[in-house]
Amino acid sequence: MKQPIVDLRSDTVTQPSPEMRRAMAEAEVGDDVFGEDPTVRRLQERVATLLGKEAALFVPSGSMANQTAIRAQTQPGDEIIAHADSHIYHYEAGGPAALSGCSMRLLEGPGGTFDADAVNAALRPKDSHFPQSALIVIENTHNRGGGTCWNLDEIARIREVADAQNLRMHLDGARLMNACVATGHKPPEYTQYFDTVSTCFSKGLGAPVGSVVAGTEATIRRVHRFRKMFGGGMRQAGVIAAAALYAIEHNIDRLADDHANAKRLAEGAARATHISVDPDAVETNIVFLDVDASVTTAAALAEQLRGRGVLMLATGPQRLRAVTHLDVSSDQIDAAIAAICQTADTV
Ligand SMILES: *Cc1c(COP(=O)(O)O)cnc(C)c1O
């Protein structure tokens, strides 16, 4: 295979820039398990403010952020309400069952969203036969939903249902900043409805590692305990926290470029034969391409595209996912469109 023209498999493939590496090299560090890393502390304070929460805790991954938040707010036998396409259900190795002893009640709805009526209908009666509904998880933007942004009014209605039944709410905001840039909402406009919020620095923000969980002081103290239990206590973590700080300071506003590139890719790919793409469905940096089943499969098409230097992920039998990010230029998008059209013509 020749060198890839463009890697659209995920926004996790970004490389730390020379400036980000410099910030990492120069970071002041200490032992963060003793609470003594000044860079980690600065990051946590900065992110708590950004998200409008009392406290934040730096963790190694988005999965650990979600799973510690779940563990801190549930008991074995509890039930978590989430979308059937959610990351916590599909891509975190069965964490809610294995680590928290929780079952999941899965809801359907367009683009990874659901409404307050669906939540209401899913609530369990307070009776000893049933698992106890304990936590509602919303993912924003929604990954398998195609990078969709949640509607604030719907989240507010779901919060009313949660309050009436004493449920907690967690926001899987791995790509929350994409949602904020796309909608113009400030992060606290979303986060005000949630007890806990996770977000990732290692996706579109371009840091090599790291995520955060934010919430009240009391909840984050519990999350801290489970971070240790799950093996996520880190020592001189300022080296990676510095990259996260750099990402927050430099790489949020530019997510708009990724969104424009995703739209451009969708519009270009929509002209290819045997492939259907809906450019209007592209709200942020994720594009789905559906391949006509009578011609080929997504996996086979991905392999052919790889031969032309374009990497994408087959996420279903007929579905390819392309994700734009800070290491993809608009020229690379044009090259990818040309490769997609040529490949589709010859399958
Ligand atoms: C990437 C992602 C995560 C976390 O993934 P890690 O690989 O564990 O960092 C969580 N939620 C969503 C929606 C994601 O896309």
Side-chain angles (χ1 to χ4, degrees):
M1 189 193 92
K2 58 181 177 176
Q3 275 301 100
I5 300 170
V6 54
D7 191 344
L8 298 166
R9 288 171 302 167
S10 175
D11 46 9
T12 57
V13 301
T14 53
Q15 299 275 326
S17 65
E19 297 75 24
M20 183 181 276
R21 286 172 181 266
R22 195 166 314 122
M24 296 172 75
E26 291 170 1
E28 250 189 286
V29 298
D31 190 328
D32 184 54
V33 171
F34 294 148
E36 290 174 1
D37 189 300
T39 308
V40 170
R41 293 173 72 121
R42 201 148 56 82
L43 173 68
Q44 291 175 164
E45 282 161 24
R46 181 74 202 268
V47 175
T49 304
L50 178 72
L51 298 179
K53 294 292 178 196
E54 280 176 19
L57 187 74
F58 190 44
V59 295
S61 71
S63 297
M64 189 177 286
N66 288 335
Q67 296 303 326
T68 51
I70 289 169
R71 183 68 181 80
Q73 298 179 98
T74 57
Q75 297 180 49
D78 281 351
E79 191 161 72
I80 299 167
I81 297 171
H83 196 279
D85 278 334
S86 61
H87 194 280
I88 59 160
Y89 179 62
H90 283 282
Y91 301 131
E92 297 183 14
L99 303 171
S100 298
C102 290
S103 56
M104 292 194 65
R105 191 73 183 265
L106 301 175
L107 306 183
E108 302 286 344
T113 67
F114 46 82
D115 60 24
D117 290 343
V119 174
N120 231 336
L123 293 174
R124 301 290 196 167
K126 296 232 180 295
D127 173 302
S128 62
H129 289 78
F130 300 100
Q132 282 301 287
S133 310
L135 181 70
I136 302 166
V137 179
I138 282 176
E139 187 177 314
N140 189 28
T141 66
H142 204 283
N143 183 342
R144 269 171 74 98
T148 6
C149 301
W150 270 76
N151 176 280
L152 269 183
D153 296 334
E154 200 56 55
I155 298 175
R157 281 190 284 272
I158 292 170
R159 182 75 243 186
E160 282 173 27
V161 174
D163 284 342
Q165 298 290 326
N166 237 338
L167 267 62
R168 288 200 166 216
M169 285 176 63
H170 172 69
L171 175 60
D172 178 355
R175 295 187 182 82
L176 179 62
M177 293 307 147
N178 293 83
C180 291
V181 167
T183 60
H185 296 316
K186 298 262 176 291
E189 290 179 62
Y190 280 121
T191 60
Q192 63 178 318
Y193 298 110
F194 296 90
D195 300 284
T196 48
V197 178
S198 62
T199 195
C200 292
F201 308 114
S202 60
K203 300 263 163 94
L205 297 183
V209 197
S211 292
V212 78
V213 192
T216 62
E217 298 272 4
T219 302
I220 296 306
R221 261 198 303 279
R222 280 181 64 75
V223 171
H224 195 167
R225 177 174 179 76
F226 293 114
R227 182 185 72 173
K228 189 71 188 142
M229 189 185 286
F230 295 173
M234 299 180 284
R235 302 294 177 174
Q236 285 71 30
V239 174
I240 51 175
L245 273 166
Y246 184 92
I248 291 171
E249 277 155 22
H250 297 90
N251 293 344
I252 294 179
D253 292 342
R254 63 150 307 286
L255 291 171
D257 301 342
D258 299 343
H259 301 171
N261 278 337
K263 195 66 123 183
R264 182 189 186 96
L265 178 70
E267 284 163 356
R271 295 195 297 270
T273 51
H274 313 303
I275 289 177
S276 53
V277 189
D278 179 6
D280 291 336
V282 176
E283 296 179 37
T284 57
N285 68 330
I286 299 178
V287 182
F288 285 141
L289 299 90
D290 289 312
V291 190
D292 186 344
S294 66
V295 247
T296 187
T297 63
L301 187 65
E303 205 40 50
Q304 283 177 295
L305 283 169
R306 176 179 279 272
R308 292 181 193 263
V310 177
L311 307 188
M312 291 190 197
L313 218 55
T315 58
Q318 299 307 132
R319 175 160 279 193
L320 286 173
R321 189 188 75 166
V323 186
T324 57
H325 52 77
L326 89 176
D327 289 345
V328 177
S329 66
S330 60
D331 286 349
Q332 287 173 303
I333 291 293
D334 290 340
I337 293 168
I340 292 165
C341 290
Q342 285 163 12
T343 308
D345 272 343
T346 54
V347 288

